[in-house]
């Protein structure tokens, strides 16, 4: 019998458990370690923050789903990974041994790296449903007493899409309440240009997003480093493309939501040869750690180098479909190892993204996500908003059913020529 342990029950961890099951032998077992038993659909957090969704609408109790699927769910959380001992220490002091480990923890939110940043400081967040619910309360206070708004992503951030989404969703809701004329809006980002997204753009995301901001009377500051956040005031330094300081800004705000930088979680951070200096797990082309070959990693916790040098640090996002390709490859590779074979599956890291703007949106397809690409496409339209709503309903339904990729989804992706696994050619 082999014990396959997955740390994390977010998007990557939950899908990992579902995809591992068909790869296991009859005597093997999957155990998932999670902080609690509730999964929530993170892409819906911007809607929660303006009252378009209630948190219970985007949450799933995993206890029943995992039990039905035959997966052991441990809700104590992971305190520490001990890869030389093939052991995970749990939050209650007990331990679980593993034959294979998949780290799917997501990130730790590094609010503490900037004074005054985050829900415990003076800005809001949509990284967690708890944060989004708190942001909703703060938004209602803004609606009662309108004033300037500052939205964006700080230096070192790697998840820019939700910042743009929330910017435009908030703008849409303010227009619906006929408050937009009383709320000046500024977007502050560490990106070198609008629409960079940590990916050097996809298609014409630069032109599409700049056009949207001009149309909506939203100002922006790029190459921005947030130095400090005080009550109602953000201090920002703007840099030139050559890395020299260009201008200092003091931005007053009545409401602010800034996405933080990420780092690896404490359970794995600082483990030599497992993680990099930021605590992200080092993996090869098979999602396998080179130093500890029975350890894999998927999702936001994976170490990926930036796409290029920028005046202000900018990370690389791990988007949903990209993560799904990591999950599929990892499941196949663990299945191979269980049968005495070498891992061969390589994820494509292709990306499909729907960014909702409240009444329109931007979609992009990047194959692969990291340039140069075989496909580099983006488009804007009202259809994106409705597609995002439909995707939310579909994804929550399949998660409740304990499915990763139903046959009709696989068929559609195949017809669109969007693959999760690279076709590996051998010979001549």
């Amino acid at each position: 019998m082999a014990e396959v342990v997955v740390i994390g029950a977010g998007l990557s961890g939950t899908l990992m458990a579902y995809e591992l099951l068909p790869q296991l032998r009859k005597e093997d077992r999957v155990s998932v370690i999670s902080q609690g038993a509730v999964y929530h659909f993170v892409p819906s957090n911007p809607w929660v923050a303006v009252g378009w969704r209630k948190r219970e609408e985007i949450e799933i109790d995993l206890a029943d789903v995992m039990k039905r699927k035959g997966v052991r769910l441990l809700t104590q959380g992971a305190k520490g990974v001990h890869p030389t001992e093939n052991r995970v220490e749990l939050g209650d002091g007990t331990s679980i041994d593993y034959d294979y480990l998949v780290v799917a923890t997501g990130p730790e939110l590094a609010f503490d790296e900037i004074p005054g940043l985050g829900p415990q400081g003076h800005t809001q967040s949509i990284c967690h449903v708890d944060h989004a619910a708190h942001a909703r309360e703060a938004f209602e206070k803004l609606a009662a007493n309108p004033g300037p708004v500052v939205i964006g992503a700080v230096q070192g951030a790697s998840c820019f899409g939700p910042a743009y989404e929330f910017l435009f969703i908030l703008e849409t809701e303010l227009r619906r309440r006929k408050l937009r004329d009383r709320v000046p809006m500024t977007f502050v980002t560490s990106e070198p240009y609008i629409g960079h997204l940590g990916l050097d753009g996809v298609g014409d995301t630069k032109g599409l997003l700049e056009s949207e901001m001009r149309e909506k009377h939203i100002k922006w500051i790029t190459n921005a480093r947030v130095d400090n956040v005080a009550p109602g005031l953000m201090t920002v330094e703007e840099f030139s493309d050559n890395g020299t300081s260009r201008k200092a800004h003091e931005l007053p705000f009545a409401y602010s939501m800034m996405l933080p930088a990420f780092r690896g979680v404490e359970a794995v951070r600082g483990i030599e040869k497992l993680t990099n200096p930021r605590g992200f797990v080092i993996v090869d082309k098979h999602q396998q750690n080179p130093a500890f070959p029975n350890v894999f990693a998927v999702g936001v916790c994976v170490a990926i180098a930036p796409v290029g040098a920028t005046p202000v640090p900018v990370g690389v996002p791990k988007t949903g479909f990209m993560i799904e390709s990591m999950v599929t490859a990892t499941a196949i590779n663990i299945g191979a190892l269980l049968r005495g074979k070498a891992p061969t599956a390589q994820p494509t890291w292709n990306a499909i993204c729907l960014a909702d703007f409240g009444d329109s949106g931007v979609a992009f397809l990047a194959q692969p996500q990291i340039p140069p690409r075989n496909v580099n496409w983006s488009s804007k339209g009202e259809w994106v908003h409705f597609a995002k709503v439909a995707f939310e309903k579909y994804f929550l339904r399949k998660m409740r059913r304990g499915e990763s990729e139903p046959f009709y989804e696989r068929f559609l992706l195949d017809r669109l020529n969007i693959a999760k696994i690279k076709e590996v050619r051998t010979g001549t």
Side-chain angles (χ1 to χ4, degrees):
M1 170 186 171
E3 181 79 55
V4 185
V5 174
V6 179
I7 307 179
L11 169 69
S12 56
T14 305
L15 290 176
M16 192 73 250
Y18 297 163
E19 291 220 13
L20 277 168
L21 290 172
Q23 299 291 336
L24 302 183
R25 302 165 301 180
K26 185 176 180 180
E27 66 271 22
D28 300 326
R29 181 172 65 177
V30 177
S31 296
V32 174
I33 303 171
S34 173
Q35 293 279 2
V38 177
Y39 167 87
H40 74 274
F41 187 59
V42 173
S44 294
N45 284 349
W47 294 338
V48 173
V50 294
W52 295 0
R53 291 289 186 279
K54 296 178 181 178
R55 63 178 298 159
E56 55 267 26
E57 294 178 292
I58 64 165
E59 291 181 334
I60 299 172
D61 185 351
L62 290 176
D64 290 339
V65 181
M66 294 292 185
K67 183 178 181 180
R68 188 173 70 247
K69 300 293 291 185
V71 175
R72 181 170 62 156
L73 180 64
L74 305 171
T75 58
Q76 305 99 310
K79 183 178 180 180
V81 173
H82 302 274
T84 58
E85 304 172 22
N86 297 326
R87 178 174 66 89
V88 179
E89 183 182 358
L90 303 179
D92 61 0
T94 61
S95 291
I96 178 173
D97 296 329
Y98 62 81
D99 294 285
Y100 295 96
L101 176 68
V102 183
V103 182
T105 58
E108 182 175 285
L109 308 174
F111 292 117
D112 60 297
E113 293 181 344
I114 299 174
L117 186 71
Q120 301 304 314
H122 311 296
T123 63
Q124 304 303 318
S125 165
I126 53 170
C127 295
H128 191 279
V129 70
D130 292 344
H131 298 166
H134 186 271
R136 165 73 194 284
E137 295 174 5
F139 172 67
E140 293 302 333
K141 293 179 182 178
L142 171 72
N145 187 21
V149 164
V150 177
I151 307 295
V154 307
Q155 58 271 23
S158 57
C159 191
F160 296 95
Y164 286 104
E165 283 194 291
F166 186 65
L167 174 75
F168 292 116
I169 287 170
L170 186 68
E171 197 275 343
T172 299
E173 180 62 14
L174 287 168
R175 278 190 286 111
R176 290 177 180 176
R177 298 192 187 199
K178 301 188 184 305
L179 296 171
R180 180 65 181 89
D181 59 321
R182 300 165 62 188
V183 182
M185 300 183 74
T186 303
F187 189 74
V188 175
T189 178
S190 54
E191 299 163 276
Y193 58 82
I194 292 298
H196 181 278
L197 302 172
L199 297 170
D200 200 12
V202 180
D204 189 29
T205 49
K206 181 179 188 294
L208 292 173
L209 290 169
E210 282 190 356
S211 174
E212 192 78 6
M213 287 190 181
R214 290 190 184 97
E215 183 180 327
K216 301 292 175 61
H217 304 285
I218 299 169
K219 297 179 180 180
W220 66 78
I221 303 171
T222 55
N223 283 330
R225 185 185 71 195
V226 178
D227 293 328
N228 181 73
V229 185
L233 186 67
M234 185 180 299
T235 303
V236 175
E237 188 168 7
E238 180 184 357
F239 289 82
S240 300
D241 290 340
N242 63 7
T244 60
S245 179
R246 179 180 179 185
K247 187 177 180 180
H249 300 265
E250 288 192 342
L251 304 175
F253 64 85
Y255 181 99
S256 177
M257 194 294 297
M258 298 294 293
L259 297 181
F262 294 164
R263 61 185 173 225
V265 300
E266 188 176 355
V268 297
R269 200 166 61 240
I271 301 176
E272 187 177 359
K273 297 184 179 180
L274 180 66
T275 57
N276 71 6
R278 288 290 292 180
F280 294 110
V281 182
I282 301 165
V283 297
D284 63 13
K285 61 185 179 182
H286 303 300
Q287 301 298 134
Q288 187 177 26
N289 179 260
F292 303 100
N294 64 338
V295 178
F296 293 76
V298 296
V300 182
C301 67
V302 170
I304 300 179
V307 297
T310 53
V312 179
V314 170
V316 176
K318 290 90 171 182
T319 57
F321 191 81
M322 178 189 189
I323 291 172
E324 290 190 44
S325 77
M326 295 181 187
V327 166
T328 298
T330 300
I332 293 171
N333 288 332
I334 289 176
L337 288 167
L338 288 169
R339 291 162 180 80
K341 300 178 181 179
T344 58
Q346 300 178 30
T348 58
W349 285 14
N350 288 336
I352 310 169
C353 185
L354 299 170
D356 175 46
F357 292 171
D359 52 8
S360 66
V362 167
F364 70 74
L365 174 61
Q367 294 185 317
Q369 178 167 294
I370 308 299
R373 305 183 178 106
N374 296 311
V375 178
N376 188 42
W377 170 86
S378 60
S379 180
K380 184 176 78 170
E382 186 179 1
W383 67 271
V384 180
H385 168 72
F386 295 107
K388 185 68 175 274
V389 173
F391 178 74
E392 176 202 47
K393 306 303 181 189
Y394 166 73
F395 194 87
L396 285 169
R397 180 178 179 272
K398 76 173 185 176
M399 293 295 275
R400 290 188 179 102
R401 292 170 60 90
E403 296 178 320
S404 175
E405 188 183 60
F407 73 91
Y408 41 85
E409 178 181 330
R410 190 159 49 249
F411 173 78
L412 177 61
L413 291 172
D414 184 62
R415 293 298 298 269
L416 294 173
N417 197 28
I418 302 173
K420 291 181 178 178
I421 303 298
K422 286 184 178 182
E423 181 181 350
V424 180
R425 294 180 173 86
T426 58
T428 57

